[in-house]
Amino acid sequence: MSHARVTHLTRRGLLAAGGALGLGAALAACGDDKGKDGGSGGSTGAGKSGPWSFKDDRGTTVKLDKVPANIVAFTGVGAALFDYGIQVKGVFGPTKTTAGKPDVQAGDMDISKVTVLGNTWGQFNIEKYASLAPDVLITTMFDGAGTLWYVPEESKGKISQLAPSVGISVYDRQLTQPLQRMWDLAESLGADMKAAKVADAKKRFEDAAARLRAAAKAKPDIKVMAGSASDQLFYVSGSNLSIDLEYFKSLGVNLVEPPGSAKKQGGGWYESLSWENVDKYGADIIMMDDRSSAIQPADITKATWKKLPAVKAGQIIPRSPEPILSYDKCVPLLTNLAEALEKAKKVS
C-alpha cells in the first residue's frame, strides 16, 4: 500500500508495525463490541436455501430472506471464505501487486474471477459495487468503534444503502477468536465445515500452536521483535491490540514491548523509530511485515538495519499483521515462528 492515508497521518504509518492500526487513531476509537453469536443458513458453498441471519461483532444482526449469493468482501476476508469453499463476487483492498500478481492478502483466490472494486486505500468503485447487486458486504474491523476496514469514510453512507454489512473484529483479542468467528460465518454461508480439508487445517493449527508453545518454553530468553519498514521510519509493534501478537504472547513468546509512549504515536499499536535508532531494542528474531505496503527485508538498504545482530544472524522471518482468517493460512504463522525459535541463537 502506498503513502496516502488519512490527513496528517501516512497510510503506511497507520497500517504499519503489525497493528494494522487503520482508522482507529484518526477516528478516535472507543469501546470494544465483542458479539459472538453466529447465524444459520446456507450459501453458494453448499447449496442450502432459506432465510439467513448472522450477528456480527458490532452486535448487529443481518437478516436476509435467503443465503447471500452475491458476496462482496475485503480481500483478506474473501481469501478466508475461499479456503472454506465460499466464492465471493467482488473484493476491495490489496488484491493485485504492481506487477499484476495476486497480493499476499489474496491468498489462494483466483483474482481473475472476482471483480476488484479498489486495490488501494480510499479506492471503492460504488458503480461497480452496485452492478454486482450485492447481498452483503463483509470486512474486518481494527477498532472498537465498528469502523469497517477499507470502506472509505467519505462514501460509507452510499455503500451502506446498497447492501447490509457484516464486520468481524480483529481488534484487541487473540487470533483464535476471529478465526472462530470466520469459521462461524463460513458455516452460516453454507460451507462444509466437516470436510476433510477443513478439519485437517484446524488440526494442523492446533498442532502448530502446541509446537510454538513448546519452542517458546524451551527458549524463554530469545526476544522476538515485530517490525515494519517504510522509507523514513521503522515501526516496532507491541503485543497489545494485534491478534497474532496477543496470541503469540499467550503461548509464551518473549516479545519486545515498546513502552507506553508508543500509544501517543500509533494509538497503542506501535512505536515509530528513525532508521538511526532502529537498534533501540535488542532482538534475537525479527518478524517483518509481509504486506505490500511495507518494504521487504531484502530491499532494505539502511546501514543501521544491516548492522542489527538478528539481521547478521539471518534470524528474520515474515509476519502477517493482517492474517487471512482461515486455519489453513494461519498454520504457517505459527510454524514459521516455532521453527525460528527452535533454531535461534541468542545474539542480542
Side-chain angles (χ1 to χ4, degrees):
M1 308 165 204
S2 58
H3 293 285
R5 187 49 108 180
V6 182
T7 306
H8 305 309
L9 294 169
T10 68
R11 176 177 162 173
R12 186 173 278 147
L14 282 173
L15 258 180
L21 165 65
L23 303 176
L27 300 180
C30 60
D32 186 18
D33 191 341
K34 299 190 177 183
K36 295 180 180 179
D37 296 336
S40 59
S43 114
T44 53
K48 294 182 181 179
S49 60
W52 179 83
S53 70
F54 189 84
K55 185 176 181 181
D56 76 357
D57 290 339
R58 297 169 296 183
T60 300
T61 300
V62 176
K63 295 181 179 181
L64 299 174
D65 292 337
K66 59 180 181 179
V67 176
N70 298 343
I71 301 170
V72 172
F74 172 69
T75 303
V77 171
L81 292 176
F82 180 84
D83 285 351
Y84 291 127
I86 304 295
Q87 176 69 53
V88 302
K89 272 206 164 184
V91 295
F92 54 94
T95 308
K96 296 180 181 179
T97 66
T98 53
K101 296 180 179 180
D103 188 274
V104 65
Q105 295 192 64
D108 292 332
M109 275 195 306
D110 182 345
I111 61 175
S112 69
K113 294 183 178 180
V114 294
T115 299
V116 181
L117 305 178
N119 198 59
T120 60
W121 184 263
Q123 290 184 348
F124 193 109
N125 191 314
I126 298 177
E127 289 73 23
K128 275 188 179 181
Y129 181 53
S131 73
L132 294 176
D135 293 321
V136 67
L137 178 149
I138 309 172
T139 187
T140 49
M141 302 182 297
F142 281 92
D143 63 22
T147 305
L148 297 176
W149 191 231
Y150 264 79
V151 174
E153 181 69 15
E154 63 274 14
S155 54
K156 66 178 184 180
K158 292 181 180 179
I159 293 169
S160 67
Q161 292 174 12
L162 294 170
S165 61
V166 167
I168 300 297
S169 180
V170 287
Y171 173 74
D172 196 18
R173 59 198 61 203
Q174 294 180 20
L175 176 61
T176 45
Q177 291 175 271
L179 267 175
Q180 182 60 49
R181 294 294 286 136
M182 192 62 70
W183 174 287
D184 294 340
L185 177 61
E187 186 173 37
S188 81
L189 292 169
D192 180 5
M193 310 315 281
K194 294 182 180 179
K197 179 181 177 181
V198 174
D200 174 68
K202 191 170 186 179
K203 176 63 164 57
R204 285 188 291 111
F205 178 88
E206 292 166 352
D207 290 345
R211 179 182 175 184
L212 179 54
R213 187 189 297 275
K217 185 176 182 180
K219 297 280 188 74
D221 296 330
I222 297 295
K223 292 194 72 67
V224 179
M225 181 168 70
S228 185
S230 72
D231 293 329
Q232 301 299 320
L233 296 170
F234 183 83
Y235 306 93
V236 179
S237 182
S239 64
N240 186 39
L241 306 181
S242 298
I243 57 173
D244 62 330
L245 301 184
E246 285 200 9
Y247 185 52
F248 297 158
K249 186 176 182 179
S250 77
L251 294 175
V253 176
N254 184 4
L255 291 165
V256 169
E257 300 282 6
S261 61
K263 293 182 181 297
K264 298 178 182 178
Q265 301 181 47
W269 293 93
Y270 59 85
E271 179 178 2
S272 308
L273 300 176
S274 66
W275 281 102
E276 289 73 21
N277 295 316
V278 72
D279 61 353
K280 180 176 180 179
Y281 300 107
D284 304 297
I285 296 172
I286 303 177
M287 305 173 64
M288 290 296 290
D289 189 340
D290 69 355
R291 293 170 297 179
S292 53
S293 58
I295 299 175
Q296 296 306 302
D299 299 320
I300 300 175
T301 58
K302 307 291 185 180
T304 49
W305 163 260
K306 294 181 179 180
K307 291 179 182 177
L308 293 177
V311 175
K312 287 183 175 181
Q315 295 179 169
I316 309 296
I317 63 172
R319 176 192 171 219
S320 300
E322 294 183 64
I324 294 173
L325 296 172
S326 71
Y327 285 102
D328 180 70
K329 292 301 179 292
C330 286
V331 169
L333 311 185
L334 305 181
T335 54
N336 287 346
L337 182 52
E339 183 177 6
L341 280 170
E342 291 162 357
K343 295 179 177 180
K345 296 178 181 178
K346 183 70 179 173
V347 294
S348 64

